[in-house]
Amino acid sequence: MKSKRAVVRWGLLGIFIMLGFIQGMAQTVIKGTVVDAVSKTPLQYVSIVFKGGRGTVTDSLGQFTLRSNGSISIIVASYVGYLNVQKTIVPGKEQTIDFELETDPKAINNVTVSTNKRAKYRNKNNPAVDLIRRVIDNKPLNRPEKYDYVEYDQYEKLEVSLSSVPEKLANNRMLRKYQFLFENRDTTKLKGKTLLPVYLEEKLTQKYYRKRPEKTKSIVRGEKRVNYGEYIDNDGVSQYLNRLIMDVDIYDDNIPLFTYQFLSPIADLSPTFYMFYIRDTITDETGKKLIKMYFTPRNTNDLLFRGNMYITLDGNYAVQKLDMFLSKNVNLNFVRELHIDLDFEQNPDGRYHLSKSNVMAEAAATKGASGGFFGERTVSFKNYRINEARPDTTYDGPALVKQNEKVDKLPDSFWQQNRHDTLTGTESKIYSNIDSLEKMPSFRRTMAIAMFLFSGYTSVGGGWLEVGPAAAFYGFNPIEGFKLRLGGRTTPKLSKRIYFEGYGAYGFKDEKFKYFIGTTYSLNNKSIYTFPLKYVRASYQHDTKIPGQELQFVQEDNFFLSFKRGNNDKWIYNDIFKFEYVHELQNRLSYTLGYRNWRHTPAGSIVYNKVVNGSVVNVPSINTSEFSAQVRWAPKEQFYQGKVFRIPIINKYPIFTLRFTAGVKGLFKSEYNYQNINLRIEKRVFMSQFGYSDMVVEGGYTFGTAPYQLLTVHRANQTYAYQLNSYNLMNFQEFVSDHYATLLVDHHFNGLIFNRIPLLRKLKLRELLSMKIIYGGIRDQNNPDKNPDLIKFPTTLGVPTTFSLSKKPYIEGSVGIGNIFKLFRVDLVRRFNYKENPNISTWGVRARFKFDF
């Protein structure tokens, strides 16, 4: 019994001694920033070490965090070309220690004698390249997909600020009402710059991954972002910003940023495009040896990074830390700076996972502009668990779900408890400031004017009616002459269920009125302009149209389309009644069911004639009724929803569209039976440093017998603008088919060639190459030359102007120069065949406006 009491006493004594030891060994946490003593600019890659112990390096902003459980009381900052600085710290506490390093006079006064000839860099027998190849070979083992199961909590924070706002603007009398915005400035995030936050969003997600069968599951636990009200599509803004600054996975060959793909420094092809140098061997906080590797582009104009990575020497050859940034000469518009910092933590099995990602970018109209935009996206990972099996039910259903319907309405207490890091004082005020701003009448008026300039619509009548679009108010063409048009539509302020739209127009040459009226009923009590759509719509239109003209993101009556080349006198008057049901699903699958009664009357040089009993008879118009069904699947599609249309945010995922149409003879005076099926597949194919290609494959087939107007009138373009989905040297209504297949390829080299030409690379121009091929024809039963019951192809002075494709395809190609003044693309287009057709051009120059990074 006595021995048992002794054991207890000694055990308690041991516990007290251990507690005292732990208390004495409390963790020391040092945070700080290192700057140049004279210029005050941050210094990156400065070594910060506990004297005689372990250390770390500063990131691209000169910031560092150093931890230790030891009792060392001195830290040392050292950097090549600067004097070493050591400071005393208090062990066992968290504290902030900043450094200002002075230049080493000896380093300045040293004279190095060398030849002007730089040693030629080679991959062969280069230990740095050999090490990188080991990292590349071990990539599959260092990715999360190596494990059978992975789960973790992910926190994302995206912030956008105005940088260096002029004081004159901030103190302007007209902006007195908005002084509360200018008072919330951040001067700590970027040395020497003042940031004015204007956007913030946060998201908490629980992530699951299963290897066999492979499946991912993301459960959104909370999301929060500023709200600018009805004038801005807040969901679209979020998608667009996250598309510009996406997640950075160093183990992917390509890193998507600013709508482009940047080659990773550890991509399979990285030794071809990067140069690598071993700088140092250091010891991290856990005592593990790391190789400090510097990398830089062979060509500084390419979409590549430069920076430092730290590689483990434990046999994993994993990246333990990475700091990188863009070269100043990179062929990228508007972006002045881009910094990426990645930190990795060790798993129980000795491998590493990404623990924090920080991407910071500053953009401006020009590199010399005083102000601009600053964006920062921080992603952190906690509670990382590997190879812990979950029930199959965990992965059931869609890959992305919300925990409940209130994830965007959670109280502040939820975010205070669950954020991976606390918001700064400036960040915490953004939500309330923007909420106050959105309620100000003056701000609403300003936004209404801005939206009118960008979208062409303006609100009247208390906001329940929008008048526009402005670009269609005036136009002209050979048939109608000068054409005036005025239209409008109701908004959700009138009703969230039912909407009305319409316009009236008048042509001063043909002296005819045109009009459109439509009504739409929302079936999900949401605006008919927001995702996901679910509505029924009925409309009637009496107006003109050019057969075979397909417009991209513009109205038929857009003023700029009034200017056309060649003969532009093939028009028709349309009378169209349409009824359709549209239903979009959350997984980006949508379908449309519709009915159309279409009567079209020829105008201009088009005349509808056919042979009856050996005599040519004029046909005043054609009438048809048809039913249609369309299925569209666009996996992981992103877009910005504008006032008139959606602006796609193109990514790497394909889009499939399948459409079936059936004409029914005898229904509401319909004259023909026919069926048409059409399949279209479009995809952007990224090719790393060789650019990307926008590819479209399309095919269609018409069953039954129908006049050429109801077949496929191939998309032509007689404007001077380069149209991506049309044939730019084909005349309107020049080719018609009842079966066809097309291939469109538009390749962007992103400066691959021009970046290597000394006189051109400073202009940052980009090369373009396009090819458009269509193969098709008309079966005898639909060919008016062989079937006298059909309406004849139109002619001009007895010369045919509409044709079917024969045994050879129609081919046109172009070479172009993009990024002219950062905004324009100009193509030299060549038509390779069917040169014998009348009134055609075999060469042409086309231009296109495009805002892009």
Side-chain angles (χ1 to χ4, degrees):
M1 188 71 178
K2 186 176 181 180
S3 62
K4 290 182 179 181
R5 286 197 297 269
V7 170
V8 172
R9 284 197 300 271
W10 282 108
L12 291 174
L13 180 61
I15 292 173
F16 287 127
I17 292 174
M18 182 65 69
L19 290 173
F21 177 78
I22 293 174
Q23 185 177 4
M25 297 296 292
Q27 189 178 54
T28 303
V29 180
I30 309 296
K31 295 183 178 180
T33 304
V34 183
V35 300
D36 183 282
V38 178
S39 66
K40 307 302 180 184
T41 57
L43 298 176
Q44 56 183 346
Y45 313 127
V46 178
S47 296
I48 310 293
V49 299
F50 289 107
K51 191 171 183 179
R54 299 162 187 156
T56 185
V57 294
T58 58
D59 60 19
S60 56
L61 296 179
Q63 299 173 351
F64 69 91
T65 301
L66 191 59
R67 294 181 173 85
S68 174
N69 291 322
S71 58
I72 300 174
S73 59
I74 294 176
I75 61 171
V76 181
S78 61
Y79 195 46
V80 176
Y82 288 82
L83 294 172
N84 292 353
V85 176
Q86 66 178 28
K87 291 191 176 184
T88 302
I89 61 172
V90 180
K93 291 187 177 181
E94 182 173 337
Q95 53 212 284
T96 300
I97 303 292
D98 294 327
F99 289 89
E100 293 187 359
L101 300 188
E102 296 181 354
T103 305
D104 186 353
K106 295 180 181 179
I108 295 177
N109 296 328
N110 284 344
V111 177
T112 302
V113 179
S114 64
T115 64
N116 292 328
K117 186 176 180 180
R118 188 177 63 178
K120 187 175 182 179
Y121 179 88
R122 297 179 183 274
N123 281 351
K124 188 176 182 180
N125 299 323
N126 186 335
V129 175
D130 292 340
L131 179 58
I132 282 297
R133 294 196 188 280
R134 288 179 180 267
V135 174
I136 294 172
D137 292 340
N138 281 271
K139 283 196 301 181
L141 300 176
N142 290 309
R143 305 197 62 162
E145 291 81 3
K146 179 253 183 189
Y147 300 108
D148 292 329
Y149 298 92
V150 176
E151 60 182 86
Y152 53 87
D153 297 328
Q154 177 174 306
Y155 169 73
E156 305 168 58
K157 181 178 69 175
L158 176 64
E159 181 180 353
V160 178
S161 305
L162 302 179
S163 62
S164 301
V165 178
E167 288 296 327
K168 288 185 179 181
L169 178 64
N171 298 324
N172 191 293
R173 292 183 179 181
M174 298 180 63
L175 300 178
R176 284 180 179 176
K177 297 179 180 180
Y178 307 106
Q179 283 303 309
F180 65 95
L181 294 176
F182 295 105
E183 292 171 358
N184 188 40
R185 298 197 228 185
D186 190 339
T187 59
T188 61
K189 189 162 291 185
L190 281 180
K191 290 291 183 180
K193 292 188 178 181
T194 301
L195 300 179
L196 180 65
V198 294
Y199 184 84
L200 180 66
E201 71 171 58
E202 301 173 271
K203 182 183 288 186
L204 273 167
T205 312
Q206 198 166 358
K207 299 268 190 173
Y208 297 93
Y209 168 79
R210 182 184 63 194
K211 189 173 185 178
R212 283 183 293 270
E214 189 171 24
K215 185 74 183 288
T216 60
K217 186 77 169 185
S218 299
I219 302 175
V220 179
R221 297 176 53 216
E223 56 185 5
K224 185 177 184 180
R225 63 169 173 256
V226 300
N227 187 347
Y228 276 93
E230 63 184 296
Y231 295 101
I232 294 179
D233 172 31
N234 294 282
D235 290 336
V237 169
S238 176
Q239 288 197 43
Y240 187 72
L241 292 174
N242 281 280
R243 178 70 179 96
L244 296 182
I245 307 178
M246 299 180 67
D247 292 335
V248 175
D249 186 349
I250 194 66
Y251 287 101
D252 276 344
D253 281 351
N254 295 291
I255 299 172
L257 292 166
F258 304 109
T259 71
Y260 290 107
Q261 299 269 321
F262 293 75
L263 190 71
S264 167
I266 60 172
D268 293 348
L269 291 175
S270 63
T272 304
F273 295 95
Y274 283 98
M275 296 185 291
F276 297 92
Y277 302 91
I278 295 176
R279 290 299 198 209
D280 200 359
T281 301
I282 64 173
T283 304
D284 70 2
E285 299 174 5
T286 64
K288 293 186 178 295
K289 294 289 186 181
L290 302 173
I291 290 290
K292 180 180 178 181
M293 177 80 74
Y294 175 72
F295 54 92
T296 186
R298 293 175 182 261
N299 187 308
T300 57
N301 289 66
D302 289 342
L303 297 177
L304 301 169
F305 301 101
R306 60 173 39 171
N308 287 275
M309 72 176 79
Y310 298 82
I311 301 168
T312 65
L313 293 179
D314 54 3
N316 293 325
Y317 295 101
V319 178
Q320 195 260 3
K321 182 178 175 64
L322 182 137
D323 305 302
M324 61 186 183
F325 56 97
L326 283 184
S327 169
K328 291 183 179 180
N329 298 326
V330 69
N331 194 341
L332 192 66
N333 295 331
F334 312 115
V335 179
R336 291 197 291 205
E337 291 186 52
L338 174 67
H339 297 276
I340 298 175
D341 295 327
L342 304 179
D343 292 306
F344 296 80
E345 289 182 355
Q346 199 168 30
N347 292 333
D349 64 348
R351 299 193 180 278
Y352 289 82
H353 70 268
L354 183 64
S355 60
K356 190 173 184 179
S357 167
N358 183 258
V359 182
M360 293 176 291
E362 186 181 23
T366 63
K367 288 193 174 182
S370 58
F373 289 90
F374 174 80
E376 180 181 20
R377 188 168 191 264
T378 302
V379 184
S380 60
F381 309 86
K382 285 189 176 181
N383 301 323
Y384 205 91
R385 294 175 290 275
I386 59 174
N387 292 336
E388 294 184 11
R390 290 283 183 178
D392 291 342
T393 54
T394 303
Y395 304 93
D396 291 344
L400 176 64
V401 297
K402 295 183 178 181
Q403 194 172 51
N404 54 61
E405 295 181 355
K406 298 182 179 180
V407 293
D408 59 342
K409 299 178 177 63
L410 298 171
D412 292 339
S413 58
F414 169 85
W415 291 101
Q416 292 171 2
Q417 294 173 7
N418 291 279
R419 281 189 186 104
H420 290 190
D421 199 359
T422 56
L423 297 180
T424 65
T426 305
E427 292 172 341
S428 61
K429 292 181 182 179
I430 300 178
Y431 291 118
S432 58
N433 280 354
I434 301 303
D435 185 60
S436 300
L437 178 69
E438 194 274 329
K439 291 181 172 62
M440 297 176 66
S442 58
F443 172 76
R444 289 173 171 266
R445 287 193 297 269
T446 302
M447 290 302 298
I449 295 172
M451 288 300 101
F452 175 71
L453 295 176
F454 284 102
S455 70
Y457 279 87
T458 184
S459 298
V460 296
W464 64 269
L465 177 65
E466 290 181 335
V467 176
F473 286 162
Y474 169 77
F476 60 88
N477 61 69
I479 305 304
E480 300 171 283
F482 297 116
K483 183 178 182 178
L484 297 181
R485 175 178 139 169
L486 182 64
R489 63 185 184 183
T490 63
T491 72
K493 284 191 175 182
L494 178 67
S495 171
K496 288 186 177 182
R497 284 287 187 182
I498 191 166
Y499 298 79
F500 300 96
E501 58 184 322
Y503 67 78
Y506 183 77
F508 286 85
K509 183 177 181 180
D510 65 355
E511 298 181 344
K512 292 183 178 181
F513 284 99
K514 292 87 180 178
Y515 56 88
F516 170 85
I517 186 170
T519 182
T520 308
Y521 184 78
S522 174
L523 298 174
N524 57 5
N525 202 29
K526 289 185 177 181
S527 169
I528 60 171
Y529 306 109
T530 59
F531 178 85
L533 305 179
K534 188 178 181 181
Y535 61 75
V536 291
R537 171 179 287 166
S539 64
Y540 186 84
Q541 182 185 42
H542 172 71
D543 208 341
T544 57
K545 181 179 174 61
I546 301 175
Q549 176 175 263
E550 180 180 278
L551 304 176
Q552 294 175 302
F553 313 133
V554 292
Q555 296 287 321
E556 291 272 359
D557 291 329
N558 190 293
F559 170 75
F560 297 103
L561 294 178
S562 299
F563 303 93
K564 292 183 172 66
R565 62 175 179 84
N567 294 326
N568 180 32
D569 58 354
K570 299 179 179 64
W571 290 69
I572 57 175
Y573 287 101
N574 282 315
D575 287 278
I576 302 175
F577 171 78
K578 290 177 65 176
F579 180 85
E580 58 184 354
Y581 167 71
V582 177
H583 191 172
E584 289 183 335
L585 305 177
Q586 290 288 348
N587 62 358
R588 267 38 182 191
L589 179 70
S590 64
Y591 58 92
T592 302
L593 304 176
Y595 166 77
R596 179 177 73 164
N597 181 269
W598 178 27
R599 181 167 63 95
H600 43 105
T601 304
S605 65
I606 299 180
V607 179
Y608 291 172
N609 290 326
K610 68 178 181 179
V611 178
V612 179
N613 297 325
S615 301
V616 177
V617 177
N618 176 260
V619 179
S621 64
I622 296 175
N623 194 76
T624 182
S625 289
E626 61 184 25
F627 293 94
S628 63
Q630 176 178 293
V631 177
R632 182 178 184 271
W633 184 43
K636 299 186 180 181
E637 182 182 31
Q638 297 173 303
F639 49 78
Y640 176 81
Q641 179 68 59
K643 285 283 185 180
V644 186
F645 47 75
R646 288 176 177 174
I647 301 175
I649 304 173
I650 302 176
N651 53 32
K652 63 181 179 181
Y653 299 99
I655 299 175
F656 304 89
T657 305
L658 177 64
R659 180 177 177 84
F660 177 77
T661 304
V664 182
K665 186 176 181 179
L667 181 63
F668 296 109
K669 300 181 180 180
S670 176
E671 302 172 54
Y672 300 96
N673 276 321
Y674 58 91
Q675 301 81 40
N676 175 272
I677 188 168
N678 176 275
L679 175 64
R680 178 184 174 92
I681 305 172
E682 48 194 306
K683 187 184 189 311
R684 173 166 289 182
V685 180
F686 290 99
M687 302 178 187
S688 190
Q689 293 307 109
F690 299 98
Y692 65 87
S693 286
D694 287 325
M695 304 184 69
V696 177
V697 177
E698 184 177 355
Y701 196 97
T702 300
F703 303 88
T705 300
Y708 74 90
Q709 296 89 341
L710 302 180
L711 304 180
T712 300
V713 180
H714 294 297
R715 295 184 291 268
N717 176 31
Q718 285 188 224
T719 71
Y720 294 98
Y722 187 87
Q723 292 287 334
L724 296 177
N725 289 319
S726 300
Y727 296 89
N728 291 283
L729 290 180
M730 184 185 291
N731 290 335
F732 291 132
Q733 204 169 289
E734 182 179 355
F735 289 103
V736 177
S737 298
D738 65 5
H739 61 281
Y740 71 95
T742 65
L743 173 65
L744 311 179
V745 180
D746 188 44
H747 187 78
H748 299 241
F749 287 96
N750 291 340
L752 179 68
I753 301 171
F754 291 159
N755 288 348
R756 287 156 177 79
I757 302 176
L759 296 179
L760 290 178
R761 61 188 178 194
K762 289 187 177 181
L763 298 176
K764 296 188 176 180
L765 301 175
R766 299 168 186 170
E767 321 83 352
L768 301 158
L769 180 65
S770 298
M771 182 63 67
K772 301 182 179 183
I773 304 172
I774 179 169
Y775 184 86
I778 297 181
R779 304 190 314 277
D780 290 348
Q781 66 192 79
N782 288 319
N783 190 337
D785 294 333
K786 298 181 179 181
N787 186 350
D789 294 333
L790 296 175
I791 295 174
K792 297 298 181 181
F793 284 151
T795 60
T796 300
L797 300 177
V799 179
T801 56
T802 298
F803 308 89
S804 65
L805 291 162
S806 59
K807 295 182 179 180
K808 61 182 179 181
Y810 173 90
I811 302 174
E812 72 176 40
S814 67
V815 292
I817 299 176
N819 209 40
I820 301 173
F821 304 117
K822 300 181 180 181
L823 294 173
F824 295 99
R825 159 185 182 164
V826 177
D827 284 75
L828 177 63
V829 190
R830 167 71 168 168
R831 175 168 170 160
F832 292 102
N833 50 12
Y834 292 100
K835 300 177 184 179
E836 66 278 5
N837 289 2
N839 304 319
I840 61 98
S841 299
T842 56
W843 292 92
V845 177
R846 302 289 179 266
R848 181 177 176 83
F849 171 84
K850 183 183 181 184
F851 172 84
D852 203 351
F853 285 94

